Amino acid sequence: AILTHFNEVPKYTRCGNCDNCIRLETSGGDATRDFTPEVNLILHGVKTAGSSAGITKLMEVLTKTNTSALNNARAAIGDKHRKGPKFLRELMPLVVQAGFLQREHNSFDQQG
């Protein structure tokens, strides 16, 4: 990024020395993650809790409510990759940023 700022083109794709390059090597070159199952769970939670539900109610629905849609969404994540409530809570601002939800005060509303 700094080279492009000075209108220079790097002679390499990756340096192989920085934290980002090392992280790419250890993750097999996979720099992105697919959180579709987790986002699906969040969206089902919003639908179940209602669009006027606040974050506390939404987290309660995500972790404690048993409906077939929520149970299927949890199963899609699987025990091996299961993320806890803290992760789901941290993921919500990204879901809002991506335009899947709209945050109004302390509640969430599905878009589209």
Side-chain angles (χ1 to χ4, degrees):
I2 196 159
L3 291 175
T4 55
H5 175 75
F6 292 108
N7 295 322
E8 295 182 26
V9 179
K11 297 177 178 151
Y12 50 85
T13 306
R14 295 189 183 118
C15 70
N17 296 317
C18 69
D19 290 345
N20 291 329
C21 289
I22 292 169
R23 194 173 304 117
L24 280 172
E25 288 175 19
T26 59
S27 66
D30 181 16
T32 61
R33 302 287 185 261
D34 181 7
F35 295 115
T36 302
E38 291 85 357
V39 171
N40 191 35
L41 175 60
I42 290 170
L43 296 178
H44 280 296
V46 169
K47 185 175 182 180
T48 301
S51 61
S52 62
I55 188 78
T56 303
K57 175 66 177 172
L58 179 56
M59 292 307 300
E60 183 180 312
V61 167
L62 289 174
T63 57
K64 297 179 182 175
T65 302
N66 288 313
T67 67
S68 60
L70 285 169
N71 290 337
N72 289 339
R74 286 185 197 109
I77 295 171
D79 292 333
K80 182 174 156 186
H81 301 290
R82 188 165 178 103
K83 308 290 187 204
K86 181 180 176 190
F87 175 79
L88 293 173
R89 185 178 215 130
E90 291 171 353
L91 189 59
M92 282 187 214
L94 299 173
V95 175
V96 171
Q97 183 181 7
F100 293 112
L101 291 175
Q102 179 180 351
R103 186 163 187 172
E104 294 182 2
H105 302 288
N106 290 325
S107 64
F108 293 93
D109 191 17
Q110 285 183 307
Q111 297 297 300

